[in-house]
Amino acid sequence: MDRDENTEGVAADAELAAEIMKRNFRPSLIRTEAWEGYMFADIEIKIKESREFYGAVLWPSAMVLCYFLDTHRDEFNLTDKNIVELGAGTGLVTIVTSLLGAKVTSTDLPEILGNLRYNVTRNTRGRCRHEPHVTELSWGKDLEERFPHATCHYDYIIAADVVYSHPYLHELMETFIHLSSENTVILWAMRFRLDPENRFVDTFQKHFHLQELYDLPSLRIKLYSARKCTPTQH
Ligand SMILES: C[S@@+](CC[C@H](N)C(=O)[O-])C[C@H]1O[C@@H](n2cnc3c(N)ncnc32)[C@H](O)[C@@H]1O
């Protein structure tokens, strides 16, 4: 790559990152109300965060994933598609995918579900083709009992910022593998912080074909799509 191309690439990254982060964020003007507004799927989505838990805070990867889905509606038509979200946090991605017509199962740890359910209900009630379902999914735990292969078929698994230095990376991988079938597409926005993220991507590629949809170095975020490798492709 020559210097001009590199300069163009850096400028394009900065422009897209700024558009995703600024265009869609509307700080609440009434400070007594504990929510922030985000513009996706043609409406303002009101998100309440809770400082008590990591997962009840909105992370930039969620905005990147929402922006991508909102601006690629033809290529990724979500109408009536079955989606499961892992580590849904505040629920922004669940809300946007539900507003775009999908049947969404929104999951996280038990302590996150109260705030998640509040945001999801507040923003989707009466506005969606399919009411989203919020439920516990602790990675690696009771997967076949709670999400049996025979009945749970997902068109998409979506996840934003679920890979970082936590002790459940093996269980997270197991969960991706358990929930995906041959036709499932994983859409996964990932913020790179330390080495464990890189190692997770390497291991992930042993099980899934990975395609990079966005690379935003200024945010240290990549957006991937992935499909399970069939046995002969290993
Ligand atoms: C960095 S936050 C990202 C939240 C949200 N996806 C976003 O981008 O705003 C990581 C999420 O993973 C969830 N999480 C962490 N460990 C988990 C586990 N063992 N099982 C299920 N969810 C987990 C957290 O509760 C949190 O919602």
Side-chain angles (χ1 to χ4, degrees):
M1 186 188 290
D2 67 26
R3 208 170 148 198
D4 284 351
E5 279 177 340
N6 191 31
T7 312
E8 273 172 32
V10 171
D13 157 48
E15 207 173 295
L16 180 57
E19 184 177 342
I20 295 170
M21 292 301 135
K22 292 211 187 90
R23 197 192 76 163
N24 297 297
F25 176 60
R26 311 270 159 119
S28 166
L29 298 176
I30 310 162
R31 294 313 320 175
T32 48
E33 276 208 86
W35 57 266
E36 304 290 0
Y38 297 86
M39 283 302 295
F40 290 107
D42 311 318
I43 63 166
E44 185 178 50
I45 297 164
K46 294 177 178 172
I47 294 291
K48 178 164 110 37
E49 296 185 320
S50 158
R51 300 280 155 192
E52 274 172 65
F53 301 108
Y54 233 39
V57 174
L58 182 73
W59 296 83
S61 300
M63 291 176 72
V64 170
L65 185 46
C66 289
Y67 177 86
F68 178 83
L69 291 169
D70 199 16
T71 53
H72 291 76
R73 294 188 203 186
D74 291 336
E75 204 181 321
F76 290 84
N77 182 351
L78 300 185
T79 309
D80 299 332
K81 296 291 191 303
N82 265 320
I83 294 187
V84 60
E85 182 177 9
L86 305 183
T90 61
L92 182 68
V93 183
T94 287
I95 293 162
V96 172
T97 47
S98 300
L99 292 168
L100 293 174
K103 298 177 206 167
V104 186
T105 301
S106 180
T107 73
D108 211 305
L109 292 169
E111 61 269 28
I112 304 298
L113 298 185
N115 191 58
L116 172 60
R117 204 168 269 130
Y118 173 82
N119 283 327
V120 168
T121 307
R122 172 187 205 178
N123 288 286
T124 61
R125 184 178 283 157
R127 289 172 163 177
C128 296
R129 280 167 81 88
H130 308 282
E131 209 171 290
H133 172 55
V134 176
T135 190
E136 177 188 347
L137 197 176
S138 303
W139 300 328
K141 203 171 140 197
D142 302 333
L143 290 174
E144 183 52 27
E145 291 91 283
R146 304 225 31 250
F147 298 86
H149 274 299
T151 50
C152 292
H153 302 287
Y154 296 109
D155 299 297
Y156 293 97
I157 300 171
I158 50 176
D161 208 1
V162 290
V163 178
Y164 48 95
S165 190
H166 61 66
Y168 299 103
L169 291 174
H170 175 79
E171 288 79 0
L172 174 61
M173 187 74 71
E174 205 187 319
T175 305
F176 273 125
I177 293 168
H178 178 84
L179 295 175
S180 55
S181 56
E182 211 183 314
N183 298 319
T184 307
V185 174
I186 297 173
L187 289 172
W188 164 38
M190 157 115 174
R191 183 156 207 197
F192 287 80
R193 299 176 176 96
L194 298 163
D195 263 2
E197 285 87 338
N198 295 321
R199 287 201 294 276
F200 187 90
V201 174
D202 291 344
T203 313
F204 190 86
Q205 291 192 87
K206 293 184 181 147
H207 304 280
F208 298 95
H209 289 292
L210 203 58
Q211 194 192 341
E212 204 176 280
L213 301 173
Y214 277 161
D215 180 9
L216 300 164
S218 59
L219 298 173
R220 283 178 287 133
I221 291 174
K222 289 190 182 193
L223 176 65
Y224 296 112
S225 76
R227 271 175 188 271
K228 210 173 202 171
C229 300
T230 56
T232 50
Q233 292 171 319
H234 278 289

